[in-house]
Amino acid sequence: MTVAVGGTLAYLQATSESPLVNTFVATDALKISLDEPLFEAAYPDKKVTYAPGDDFVKDPTITNESETKTFVAATVEIELTDGSKVDVEDFDDYVSFQWNDSQVSVVPAKNGKTLLIYATTALEKDNSVVLFNKVTVNKSLQTLENFKINVFAYGVQAEINGGTNTCE
């Protein structure tokens, strides 16, 4: 008795001659602005001379200048003269903020050096949100040193293809 086993093994392979390329172009339709109208009126040179316990107006305001509804947010950090950033948990050693609680939420960022403030609703065109209204220098501050309060603003469109994003 003879048994024969056989088989054929074939590898089929093909490659397209040209790649499929899709080009995505970012829109320039999203535009926000950040200004401080009351602070800039009170301190045209943007410098505040302070003593412990002083209050001063500081009103960072984000405005949606886009045609589309936009969620806005900001980060706040305290920078010392040597360029180092104050830990969020130590902000109160320097200043306290009077947050606009009716329009914004405030959470510490993961880096520990920044507070994240975001508007709780999307802004329509030409609408604004004031992040905070006043800063109070800690009255127990022992060493007076120069520092900066840096505010950076961000925006993201609230509507995509007729749908609505949510912000929680």
Side-chain angles (χ1 to χ4, degrees):
M1 172 174 200
T2 305
V3 176
V5 177
T8 303
L9 184 59
Y11 291 99
L12 301 176
Q13 182 177 352
T15 304
S16 65
E17 291 184 25
S18 61
L20 177 62
V21 177
N22 295 310
T23 303
F24 293 84
V25 179
T27 180
D28 59 359
L30 190 63
K31 185 173 181 190
I32 60 170
S33 63
L34 175 65
D35 63 344
E36 294 181 299
L38 298 176
F39 180 84
E40 291 166 2
Y43 309 100
D45 63 355
K46 297 188 178 188
K47 291 183 182 178
V48 176
T49 302
Y50 74 91
D54 284 354
D55 291 330
F56 55 93
V57 63
K58 187 149 176 69
D59 59 328
T61 304
I62 304 173
T63 302
N64 177 19
E65 297 177 354
S66 307
E67 296 295 327
T68 184
K69 224 172 164 177
T70 303
F71 285 115
V72 295
T75 55
V76 175
E77 63 186 20
I78 298 175
E79 181 181 349
L80 302 178
T81 54
D82 66 2
S84 65
K85 308 294 190 296
V86 174
D87 289 332
V88 168
E89 61 207 27
D90 297 328
F91 273 22
D92 286 344
D93 292 348
Y94 292 86
V95 296
S96 59
F97 298 90
Q98 181 181 354
W99 302 108
N100 182 1
D101 293 329
S102 66
Q103 292 186 299
V104 300
S105 291
V106 181
V107 294
K110 289 182 180 180
N111 68 5
K113 304 284 186 190
T114 308
L115 286 176
L116 172 64
I117 304 102
Y118 63 93
T120 53
T121 59
L123 299 179
E124 299 284 349
K125 179 177 175 42
D126 296 327
N127 285 356
S128 300
V129 63
V130 178
L131 304 173
F132 50 92
N133 302 300
K134 178 174 73 171
V135 174
T136 302
V137 177
N138 183 334
K139 61 182 156 190
S140 301
L141 196 61
Q142 297 295 316
T143 304
L144 295 181
E145 63 180 301
N146 295 338
F147 63 89
K148 297 178 188 176
I149 298 173
N150 299 325
V151 180
F152 303 93
Y154 309 91
V156 63
Q157 69 188 53
E159 297 175 342
I160 300 173
N161 296 330
T164 302
N165 290 334
T166 59
C167 183
E168 297 176 11

Short mmCIF file of all heavy atoms in Angstrom, two decimals, residues 1-8:
data_model
loop_
_atom_site.label_atom_id
_atom_site.label_comp_id
_atom_site.label_asym_id
_atom_site.label_seq_id
_atom_site.Cartn_x
_atom_site.Cartn_y
_atom_site.Cartn_z
N MET A 1 0.84 -1.15 0.00
CA MET A 1 0.00 0.00 0.00
C MET A 1 0.90 1.23 0.00
O MET A 1 1.84 1.31 0.77
CB MET A 1 -0.88 -0.06 1.22
CG MET A 1 -1.64 1.18 1.39
SD MET A 1 -2.70 0.85 2.70
CE MET A 1 -3.86 1.60 2.92
N THR A 2 0.57 2.12 -0.80
CA THR A 2 1.33 3.34 -0.94
C THR A 2 0.40 4.51 -0.64
O THR A 2 -0.70 4.58 -1.16
CB THR A 2 1.87 3.49 -2.37
OG1 THR A 2 2.61 2.33 -2.68
CG2 THR A 2 2.72 4.69 -2.49
N VAL A 3 0.89 5.39 0.20
CA VAL A 3 0.10 6.59 0.53
C VAL A 3 0.92 7.80 0.09
O VAL A 3 2.10 7.90 0.39
CB VAL A 3 -0.18 6.67 2.04
CG1 VAL A 3 -0.90 7.94 2.39
CG2 VAL A 3 -0.95 5.48 2.51
N ALA A 4 0.27 8.67 -0.58
CA ALA A 4 0.93 9.90 -1.01
C ALA A 4 0.19 11.10 -0.42
O ALA A 4 -1.02 11.16 -0.46
CB ALA A 4 0.95 9.97 -2.52
N VAL A 5 0.92 11.98 0.15
CA VAL A 5 0.33 13.20 0.71
C VAL A 5 0.98 14.36 -0.04
O VAL A 5 2.18 14.42 -0.19
CB VAL A 5 0.61 13.32 2.21
CG1 VAL A 5 0.06 14.62 2.77
CG2 VAL A 5 0.03 12.14 2.96
N GLY A 6 0.16 15.24 -0.46
CA GLY A 6 0.69 16.37 -1.21
C GLY A 6 -0.11 17.62 -0.93
O GLY A 6 -1.23 17.58 -0.44
N GLY A 7 0.42 18.72 -1.19
CA GLY A 7 -0.28 19.98 -1.00
C GLY A 7 0.43 21.09 -1.74
O GLY A 7 1.59 20.97 -2.11
N THR A 8 -0.29 22.12 -1.94
CA THR A 8 0.28 23.28 -2.61
C THR A 8 0.16 24.47 -1.67
O THR A 8 -0.90 24.70 -1.08
CB THR A 8 -0.48 23.57 -3.92
OG1 THR A 8 -0.45 22.42 -4.73
CG2 THR A 8 0.12 24.76 -4.63
#
